[in-house]
């Protein structure tokens, strides 16, 4: 599964692990991505979205219709 959110566009961040001896090695900070299925009443079907946990709370707040409109406005496919 690709580690990016369809609603917020959150993607992995990159940085370094720093050991006790101060050696640096690459690491990756992944967003908390979940796949969630919502009922979309306007189209009479379910949609499965790949969302960050923060975006799931956003969908609960603004509603699935507004969230799908935002995803489509960003050029995403639902």
């Amino acid at each position: 599964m690709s580690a990016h959110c369809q609603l917020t566009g959150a993607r992995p961040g990159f940085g370094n692990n720093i050991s006790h001896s101060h050696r640096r090695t690459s690491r990756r900070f992944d967003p908390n991505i979940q796949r969630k299925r919502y009922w979309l009443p306007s189209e009479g079907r379910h949609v499965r979205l790949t969302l960050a946990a923060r975006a799931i709370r956003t969908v609960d707040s603004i509603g699935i219709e507004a969230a799908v409109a935002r995803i489509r406005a960003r050029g995403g496919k639902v």
Side-chain angles (χ1 to χ4, degrees), residues 6-7 65-78:
Q6 289 180 290
L7 182 60
E65 298 288 344
V68 167
R70 283 189 192 181
I71 292 170
R72 289 182 173 148
R74 293 181 80 241
K77 185 178 164 210
V78 177

Side-chain angles (χ1 to χ4, degrees), residues 31-77:
N32 185 4
I33 297 295
Q34 310 290 326
R35 288 195 54 151
K36 189 139 170 70
R37 195 174 93 151
Y38 290 99
W39 173 251
L40 194 57
S42 64
E43 298 181 16
R45 68 185 181 105
H46 285 96
V47 292
R48 189 175 299 276
L49 300 176
T50 304
L51 300 172
R54 184 182 71 203
I56 292 173
R57 292 197 306 269
T58 302
V59 171
D60 291 343
S61 174
I62 67 173
I64 186 62
E65 298 288 344
V68 167
R70 283 189 192 181
I71 292 170
R72 289 182 173 148
R74 293 181 80 241
K77 185 178 164 210

Side-chain angles (χ1 to χ4, degrees), residues 9 11 29 43 66 73:
R11 291 188 178 272
F29 297 89
E43 298 181 16

